[in-house]
């Protein structure tokens, strides 16, 4: 299905250098903010308290979050847990110099339950647990390993599926997306949680899919467009997949924006990371991956065997 058809190829590669300069500067800015500000990690990574509260009737997490904010208890993550009457509240522990962990837990429990009981007397604390920073370090370590494993798997797949230059170009473009997403979270100090980490890993796979589509069309064009240069082949490949890109990314972005607007605080940063990642994923697959593959020297000879010269004898291997 094609909603948009172009009779001539759009000269993307002609302006690739300018786009690469913009990408490089954006990449450096993201690294700078990551180094200067760091990520605002959630309690899954830093440690905190987890409280399970049961109500006599169904309750909305947004109302509980508003109640806690009104009581001066900030940074609360409130989600439904099981039934509509059960709520899970995650909170960072107060950092007072004269408080031990047990004292901090008791102080936090008293403040939270006082605020919740003032709004609804049926609120009952079922359990309260402490999530240590050691668990957070393990999650960060496992998340880094997952990111590394995804990158290695993508490179191996693309090197087998296409050519090693395409694999290198795709990984550089995808890491460009990941670093820029992290740079946004570091600059605005948005909370980086496990759902956001899942969104970053999802963007890796999403961007790879777009790069594979463009590179597959480029491989076909190398065989069809015998007299075209490598930039012209890439221009034709990108132009030929624009309709598919607009339809696929447009419908996906509509769904993600719906989550961003209507999903509430629980899905806000998850949808925000996906929104940023999809936008930069389109950009990097077209204007980062293809120019890098061109700079690495990909050519028609990598996909098409050279034609046999006239008069050259055909070599036939002897069968044992």
């Amino acid at each position: 299905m094609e909603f948009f058809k172009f009779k001539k190829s759009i000269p993307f590669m002609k302006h690739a250098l300018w786009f690469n300069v913009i990408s490089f500067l954006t990449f450096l800015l993201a690294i700078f903010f990551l180094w200067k500000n760091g990520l605002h990690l959630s309690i899954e990574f830093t440690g905190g308290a987890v409280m399970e509260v049961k109500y006599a009737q169904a309750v909305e997490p947004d109302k509980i979050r508003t109640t806690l904010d009104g009581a001066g208890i900030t940074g609360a993550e409130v989600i439904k847990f099981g039934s509509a009457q059960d709520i899970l509240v995650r909170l960072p522990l107060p950092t007072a110099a004269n408080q031990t962990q047990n004292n901090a837990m008791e102080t936090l429990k008293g403040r939270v339950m006082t605020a919740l009981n003032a709004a609804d007397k049926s609120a009952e604390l079922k359990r309260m647990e402490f999530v240590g920073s050691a668990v957070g370090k393990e999650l960060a370590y496992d998340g880094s390993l997952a990111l590394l494993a995804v990158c290695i798997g993508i490179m191996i797949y693309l090197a087998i599926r296409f050519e090693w230059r395409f694999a290198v170009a795709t990984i550089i473009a995808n890491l460009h997306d990941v670093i820029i997403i992290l740079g946004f979270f570091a600059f605005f100090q948005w909370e980086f949680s496990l759902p956001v980490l899942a969104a970053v890993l999802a963007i890796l796979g999403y961007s790879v899919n777009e790069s594979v589509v463009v590179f597959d069309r480029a491989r076909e064009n190398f065989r069809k467009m015998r007299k075209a240069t490598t930039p012209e082949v890439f221009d034709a490949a990108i132009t030929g997949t624009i309709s598919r890109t607009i339809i696929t990314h447009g419908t996906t972005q509509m769904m993600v924006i719906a989550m961003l607007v209507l999903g509430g605080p629980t899905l806000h940063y998850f949808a925000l990371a996906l929104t940023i990642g999809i936008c930069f994923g389109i950009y990097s697959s077209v204007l980062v991956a293809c120019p890098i593959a061109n700079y690495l020297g990909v050519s028609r000879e990598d996909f098409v065997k050279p034609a046999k010269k006239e008069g050259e004898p055909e070599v036939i291997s002897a069968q044992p």
Side-chain angles (χ1 to χ4, degrees):
M1 180 185 296
E2 285 188 336
F3 288 163
F4 306 93
K5 273 196 172 184
F6 300 90
K7 295 182 180 180
K8 294 183 179 181
S9 297
I10 302 174
F12 290 101
M13 302 298 288
K14 181 180 179 181
H15 309 287
L17 180 59
W18 290 106
F19 289 117
N20 291 159
V21 170
I22 295 172
S23 298
F24 184 69
L25 293 176
T26 308
F27 185 83
L28 289 181
L29 281 174
I31 292 178
F32 172 75
F33 289 122
L34 282 171
W35 168 76
K36 182 182 178 183
N37 299 340
L39 292 172
H40 177 207
L41 299 175
S42 65
I43 65 169
E44 290 104 342
F45 298 103
T46 60
V50 178
M51 303 175 65
E52 182 183 346
V53 183
K54 187 174 183 63
Y55 284 82
Q57 65 282 337
V59 64
E60 290 298 326
D62 289 341
K63 293 183 179 179
I64 296 178
R65 196 177 295 109
T66 303
T67 300
L68 295 177
D69 289 340
I73 304 172
T74 58
E77 180 183 347
V78 185
I79 59 174
K80 289 185 178 181
F81 184 73
S83 66
Q85 293 83 23
D86 295 317
I87 293 295
L88 197 68
V89 181
R90 295 192 181 102
L91 282 164
L93 286 179
T95 56
N98 59 347
Q99 279 189 326
T100 63
Q101 176 185 318
N102 291 333
N103 291 337
M105 293 275 285
E106 289 299 323
T107 302
L108 184 62
K109 180 175 71 172
R111 292 181 62 195
V112 171
M113 294 312 299
T114 299
L116 295 182
N117 285 323
D120 190 337
K121 294 182 179 180
S122 67
E124 178 188 355
L125 179 64
K126 302 295 291 184
R127 66 181 176 93
M128 184 174 185
E129 298 176 354
F130 173 72
V131 180
S133 58
V135 177
K137 291 180 181 178
E138 183 179 352
L139 287 174
Y141 177 75
D142 291 343
S144 300
L145 283 183
L147 185 62
L148 179 62
V150 169
C151 292
I152 294 175
I154 289 171
M155 288 193 68
I156 294 174
Y157 165 74
L158 290 178
I160 297 173
R161 180 75 170 79
F162 295 104
E163 211 264 343
W164 70 268
R165 295 177 181 85
F166 282 174
V168 173
T170 301
I171 285 298
I172 293 175
N174 289 352
L175 290 179
H176 162 274
D177 300 338
V178 170
I179 295 299
I180 288 179
I181 293 174
L182 297 180
F184 270 97
F185 274 78
F187 177 74
F188 292 104
Q189 284 297 286
W190 295 329
E191 186 181 60
F192 188 86
S193 59
L194 285 179
V196 175
L197 176 60
V200 170
L201 293 176
I203 288 300
L204 271 175
Y206 194 83
S207 297
V208 167
N209 180 63
E210 182 65 25
S211 299
V212 166
V213 170
V214 175
F215 285 156
D216 186 62
R217 183 63 63 89
R219 182 174 59 178
E220 293 178 4
N221 289 344
F222 272 123
R223 295 168 180 168
K224 294 178 181 178
M225 304 169 62
R226 294 283 181 169
K227 296 182 179 180
T229 62
T230 299
E232 291 172 345
V233 167
F234 279 125
D235 287 338
I238 297 169
T239 305
T241 57
I242 278 184
S243 180
R244 177 251 175 213
T245 299
I246 294 174
I247 295 171
T248 303
H249 292 274
T251 53
T252 306
Q253 194 67 277
M254 288 170 59
M255 179 269 296
V256 173
I257 291 176
M259 283 196 300
L260 181 64
V261 176
L262 305 174
T266 304
L267 294 176
H268 180 74
Y269 291 118
F270 171 76
L272 192 59
L274 286 177
T275 301
I276 298 171
I278 290 173
C279 292
F280 278 94
I282 301 172
Y283 170 82
S284 65
S285 298
V286 173
L287 299 172
V288 176
C290 290
I292 290 177
N294 185 37
Y295 298 151
L296 291 174
V298 67
S299 62
R300 180 176 289 101
E301 286 71 20
D302 296 321
F303 304 98
V304 182
K305 294 181 180 180
K308 188 181 68 173
K309 295 181 181 180
E310 187 177 354
E312 181 179 349
E314 184 178 357
V315 179
I316 303 177
S317 59
Q319 298 292 332

